[in-house]
Amino acid sequence: MIELVTAMRLVEPEVAAALSERFRAEIEAIVEARVGLPRTAVTRIFAQDDFDVAGLLVEGWSGGPRADDLLMRAARLGDPAVAASLFRRNRAMDAALYAEVLAHVADEDDQGWHEPYGVVHALREIARRDPLAAATMPFSAAVRQAAADRCGDVPYAVAVDLCVAVADRCARTDLLDLAKEDLGHPGLAALLVDAAQAPEPSAYLADRRPPEEWLDAAAVRAFLGVRLATENPRSVEERPALDWDLVRREHARKPLDDAALGWLTSWEGCPEDLVHEALKARRPNIAFRHATWLPFDVVSHEGVLFGTDFADAMRRGISDGWLPLDRILGEAAPANHMLALLPETPEVRTALADLFAPFGDDPHLWLTFYSRLPRFAGSAVDLVAEVAASPTAKRTTTWPRPLAAVFPATEPENTRALFLHLLRLLPDSVVIALAPYFDARAVQHLLVYHYQALSPRARDALVAAHGVPALASRAACGLLTKEEVAELLALDEPAVDAALYVHARVPDTERARILAGLRTDGGRRRVAPEVVSALYELNLGHYRARLTAGIPGGDPGVATVILRCLRLGTQAGRLRLLAAVWERYGPAEVEELLNLDRLPATTVKTVRALLPAEDGLARLQDLLAAETSPEKVVAYLAKKAGRADENLRRAIQEGVPLPWPQLADAVRDGLFSRQMVDELCELPDCTNEFGRAALGVGARHGRPASLPNRSAVERMLRTGALVPEDLLHHGTSPAAFLDLISRDPTGAREGRGAEPCEAARALVAEHVGEDPDAWAVAVRLFPDFTGTLPQLLATARAAVA
């Protein structure tokens, strides 16, 4: 498919037309499969002189002009099978296409239209969802069935309209048959019997339609969309004005279900009685989610429903102004629930400042308010008044139910969450006054989850009152931004560094600095016990690299943790660890590490023999250099034992340098498994030389692809390790990668052809030019050709020479 599309885009229109003739059968099969039209219809349309087959293939079939033209021509064929395929393909059919299909129904009695799941069946389904559509249908059976199915669901005036459509298209006997159905409206059956006897049944019915009722088709469709959709009437995209008296009358005749009532509240001006009825139904969440307004008594009488939807409705109502904020604070209860639903708006901040004005900056009043908040049954105004009037002797003077900070930090809950949220909406003087009284958990919550809302003065007051432990508790969070992490790292506090190391997103370079004992000001020290102890908390199943980052740092404490917690997988990693410690702290510390009995016996024996020697460190470094030589690295990665990804990951984590030139040679020599090549291609520092060497490795491993892993070539194209020219000139099995270098700029997933890059245009111009014969051979060779693209094009050129 893509090779033919790409060929069409590369050549001039004359050659494209010639290719479309040569590949007519293949193109017809493609269109049949993608568009869903019968093959015979595609053949008939392609036979029309003015249809651009090549243009369709280049454009695709996802809504372009030629694709739309194809469907319109199919609709004009007047073929029942073709029309049925159009209905199946287009659930929400375009109005123009729908009209075109119905306009070309030559004989409604043709049995083809009435086949199971054919056009008439589709029209009946449309009429079930939209009874008004029945009036435009040319099939009497569909119109009659729509009236029988939906008269009971529509208002009386609309039911009469449906009966008029039946009278226009059907016989008098059909009216009599319809009268025998359960039509849902008293007197409608008798009216149909009378109309069947009238000289002009249609006019008779039309004259007896209630005037001025349900005349707006958009309003009718919207109301029916609400009634007929049991859960979510997504088809009701617009909200036209409704006559609420008519809606109430229709609801009294045939009650709307709970969901429908809820959706009615999404209309502007929905009456209060219907809003209340919707809220009293079994699923008021629909009304809470979509109501354009709610009466205030909902808050006081139905506010027991403290779910997410109710909370959203409350915040929306306060923000939009249809729930009065002063009454929410002064009348609605309980206070803790009402305060928790307040949005963060300037009006709310002003109202809260006025509400809590009696407290001022008195910490004891605020602590008393916090202690009474969860159990107070009255309004927020009543609670503030009671606290302000309480005797001094009965006020709370310490933080109620204090808790320690947790590592990692967790979000506040319940009353604690509400109180801290209120503080962020109030002047910072309140937080400053309370700073010495907060428990450790509250300080952590403020510094982690409300940090940006606090003023610098408030932050400084919290730190001044609670010291380094407060900063450490703040550091124990994975949500900190890069700037916040950098700010905490600059403190050079061991407890803070320890919390950051285990719980925050710290850059790899900073992790290596911390485990090397380097300060941010350039000084050096032994890694603090707080950091060393924290390393034991790491989840090594996910974060092994966070511990191996300490291998080159040379700190004995860190090295001890590494040896106790990990089995280093490479001899280079073991020697690097020991050499770094020896270089910084001498052979005595190295001997302590050897005594841990956590290294292979051969490593221990070799290094222990070097400890007394004056040149022991130099000899150890020579051994390390030998272990990291290109030959050793290639041999390690080429070994079959273990998983390729695990071997490579351990080598990188343990500081083994990757010799990319030698790795490229190893790939060309076939030394690496396909999986190892996959893993190396995925590395961000993969080189162009290695990427080009990897081209064709799939063929050597029995895979008909130019690369062993499709995601790898995509990554290398993004990073520049490969360029399209590499794939064009060196990649084997070109069918596997052409779409990677010739992507549709719109990003469409299917149906659209790819836009070739300039390098591809130059390559094909050099080899096949505008020769349609050569192009035809190249397109046919493309799917199974295992050589490179230049070889394929040269073969095609030679075949027609």
Side-chain angles (χ1 to χ4, degrees):
M1 165 59 187
I2 186 173
E3 58 269 17
L4 187 54
V5 172
T6 304
M8 295 291 193
R9 291 193 166 206
L10 285 167
V11 299
E12 294 297 324
E14 299 79 16
V15 180
L19 290 177
S20 67
E21 288 298 325
R22 293 179 186 234
F23 291 92
R24 180 61 57 88
E26 290 87 342
I27 297 174
E28 289 178 0
I30 291 170
V31 175
E32 178 187 19
R34 290 298 183 95
V35 182
L37 291 175
R39 183 69 171 271
T40 55
V42 177
T43 302
R44 290 172 61 186
I45 295 171
F46 282 8
Q48 297 172 7
D49 293 338
D50 59 339
F51 187 77
D52 184 1
V53 177
L56 172 68
L57 198 64
V58 171
E59 178 189 85
W61 28 81
S62 299
R66 293 184 182 86
D68 293 341
D69 183 39
L70 174 73
L71 297 178
M72 282 295 183
R73 289 173 186 255
R76 296 182 191 121
L77 294 177
D79 185 319
V82 175
S85 69
L86 290 173
F87 274 99
R88 285 194 295 271
R89 180 185 185 274
N90 300 272
R91 290 279 180 169
M93 187 181 290
D94 177 77
L97 183 62
Y98 175 84
E100 202 71 29
V101 170
L102 298 188
H104 287 80
V105 176
D107 179 10
E108 72 167 276
D109 295 324
D110 184 338
Q111 185 56 35
W113 300 107
H114 299 268
E115 290 291 326
Y117 301 103
V119 172
V120 172
H121 172 83
L123 291 176
R124 286 176 177 171
E125 290 301 311
I126 291 173
R128 284 176 61 83
R129 298 191 300 270
D130 180 10
L132 299 186
T136 65
M137 295 177 181
F139 296 98
S140 57
V143 177
R144 185 172 60 248
Q145 189 64 47
D149 290 341
R150 286 298 180 227
C151 269
D153 295 318
V154 301
Y156 181 76
V158 182
V160 173
D161 291 338
L162 287 175
C163 294
V164 170
V166 174
D168 285 338
R169 286 174 170 72
C170 305
R172 295 171 185 267
T173 54
D174 292 312
L175 289 176
L176 296 175
D177 291 340
L178 182 60
K180 298 174 184 178
E181 301 283 347
D182 181 10
L183 301 179
H185 295 278
L188 183 56
L191 180 64
L192 290 175
V193 172
D194 293 342
Q197 311 303 323
E200 295 185 18
S202 177
Y204 182 86
L205 290 169
D207 289 343
R208 283 152 183 79
R209 183 195 192 281
E212 306 302 325
E213 290 188 10
W214 297 103
L215 297 178
D216 183 358
V220 173
R221 284 192 169 90
F223 178 75
L224 292 179
V226 170
R227 178 187 282 288
L228 301 180
T230 58
E231 287 291 341
N232 189 347
R234 297 188 184 281
S235 59
V236 185
E237 297 177 355
E238 299 181 0
R239 300 289 188 271
L242 295 177
D243 185 322
W244 294 108
D245 289 335
L246 294 178
V247 171
R248 288 191 185 95
R249 189 193 310 169
E250 183 62 12
H251 178 44
R253 179 189 71 84
K254 184 177 181 179
L256 298 165
D257 67 16
D258 299 342
L261 281 170
W263 274 94
L264 270 184
T265 64
S266 66
W267 255 262
E268 190 73 33
C270 182
E272 188 167 334
D273 57 325
L274 291 177
V275 173
H276 274 295
E277 191 170 351
L279 294 173
K280 291 176 182 176
R282 288 177 300 170
R283 286 178 293 177
N285 60 301
I286 296 178
F288 284 137
R289 194 179 313 141
H290 300 288
T292 57
W293 76 286
L294 293 174
F296 175 77
D297 59 1
V298 170
V299 176
S300 55
H301 298 300
E302 302 186 47
V304 292
L305 300 167
F306 292 106
T308 301
D309 294 318
F310 175 77
D312 290 343
M314 282 282 294
R315 295 188 182 98
R316 194 169 66 248
I318 294 171
S319 298
D320 294 346
W322 43 263
L323 282 179
L325 182 57
D326 57 342
R327 295 189 66 187
I328 296 292
L329 296 175
E331 302 176 34
N336 60 339
H337 284 166
M338 294 300 112
L339 290 171
L341 300 177
L342 298 178
E344 294 189 29
T345 65
E347 293 77 15
V348 168
R349 291 177 183 273
T350 301
L352 289 178
D354 293 341
L355 172 68
F356 292 113
F359 292 175
D361 296 335
D362 186 334
H364 294 171
L365 286 175
W366 282 104
L367 292 172
T368 305
F369 169 79
Y370 176 51
S371 66
R372 297 184 187 181
L373 182 59
R375 294 176 298 278
F376 191 77
S379 70
V381 169
D382 294 338
L383 175 57
V384 170
E386 180 180 297
V387 170
S390 62
T392 303
K394 292 187 177 182
R395 294 176 183 174
T396 304
T397 57
T398 60
W399 186 267
R401 301 171 298 281
L403 295 174
V406 293
F407 297 79
T410 57
E411 293 194 40
E413 298 178 340
N414 304 322
T415 306
R416 181 184 292 266
L418 170 58
F419 185 64
L420 299 180
H421 176 73
L422 290 175
L423 292 182
R424 66 181 284 163
L425 301 179
L426 294 167
D428 59 3
S429 59
V430 178
V431 174
I432 294 172
L434 283 170
Y437 296 87
F438 288 122
D439 67 351
R441 185 78 61 86
V443 173
Q444 183 180 43
H445 287 150
L446 285 169
L447 290 177
V448 172
Y449 299 101
H450 299 283
Y451 186 78
Q452 299 300 331
L454 297 176
S455 70
R457 291 179 60 244
R459 300 172 195 165
D460 292 343
L462 290 171
V463 175
H466 297 270
V468 172
L471 296 171
S473 69
R474 178 192 171 207
C477 180
L479 302 178
L480 298 178
T481 65
K482 293 180 180 179
E483 293 74 20
E484 290 171 338
V485 169
E487 174 187 328
L488 290 169
L489 287 172
L491 299 175
D492 270 328
E493 286 287 351
V496 175
D497 286 347
L500 286 170
Y501 203 95
V502 177
H503 302 293
R505 292 175 293 181
V506 178
D508 293 340
T509 54
E510 290 297 298
R511 292 189 185 279
R513 178 188 64 78
I514 292 173
L515 296 192
L518 292 171
R519 297 172 52 88
T520 55
D521 60 6
R524 195 158 199 168
R525 63 190 175 191
R526 192 144 181 162
V527 176
E530 294 93 331
V531 176
V532 174
S533 298
L535 296 178
Y536 287 105
E537 302 176 29
L538 289 172
N539 181 345
L540 298 180
H542 293 283
Y543 303 119
R544 185 178 187 272
R546 294 187 180 181
L547 191 49
T548 57
I551 288 177
D555 184 83
V558 174
T560 300
V561 179
I562 292 173
L563 292 180
R564 283 179 174 171
C565 297
L566 296 178
R567 287 286 185 185
L568 296 179
T570 65
Q571 180 69 350
R574 303 176 198 117
L575 297 180
R576 186 183 304 278
L577 176 73
L578 298 173
V581 173
W582 192 336
E583 183 178 359
R584 284 193 59 193
Y585 291 98
E589 293 288 356
V590 174
E591 187 166 12
E592 291 293 330
L593 296 177
L594 296 179
N595 292 337
L596 293 175
D597 195 24
R598 296 290 296 173
L599 290 167
T602 55
T603 303
V604 173
K605 181 178 179 181
T606 300
V607 177
R608 196 183 296 279
L610 300 177
L611 293 179
E614 290 186 6
D615 61 344
L617 175 59
R619 290 163 61 185
L620 179 57
Q621 291 170 335
D622 290 341
L623 290 176
L624 174 59
E627 285 295 328
T628 56
S629 66
E631 296 77 14
K632 283 273 191 176
V633 175
V634 170
Y636 174 77
L637 297 180
K639 67 181 183 180
K640 305 303 180 185
R643 290 166 35 200
D645 60 336
E646 183 72 14
N647 291 342
L648 180 60
R649 180 171 65 90
R650 286 179 179 271
I652 294 173
Q653 289 178 356
E654 295 172 18
V656 176
L658 296 181
W660 287 105
Q662 289 79 10
L663 294 179
D665 291 337
V667 170
R668 284 188 283 265
D669 294 338
L671 299 181
F672 291 155
S673 67
R674 187 184 69 197
Q675 186 186 10
M676 180 56 73
V677 177
D678 286 350
E679 298 296 332
L680 289 167
C681 288
E682 292 280 4
L683 295 179
D685 56 343
C686 178
T687 64
N688 177 257
E689 180 185 8
F690 184 88
R692 291 175 61 175
L695 293 172
V697 73
R700 287 199 297 275
H701 290 280
R703 180 188 291 182
S706 64
L707 278 174
N709 186 311
R710 185 178 179 85
S711 67
V713 68
E714 291 179 331
R715 180 185 182 91
M716 287 191 288
L717 286 171
R718 289 196 303 270
T719 61
L722 281 180
V723 293
E725 288 82 351
D726 294 327
L727 291 174
L728 289 170
H729 291 282
H730 304 286
T732 57
S733 300
F737 64 78
L738 184 60
D739 63 320
L740 294 177
I741 58 174
S742 51
R743 287 288 177 84
D744 171 28
T746 66
R749 289 191 172 184
E750 61 178 64
R752 291 186 184 275
E755 186 64 39
C757 64
E758 290 304 318
R761 294 183 184 278
L763 182 64
V764 297
E766 175 187 351
H767 286 277
V768 293
E770 299 297 333
D771 186 341
D773 295 328
W775 272 109
V777 173
V779 170
R780 296 198 184 280
L781 286 175
F782 204 93
D784 302 314
F785 195 82
T786 58
T788 64
L789 186 57
Q791 291 170 342
L792 182 151
L793 297 175
T795 301
R797 186 67 179 176
V800 298

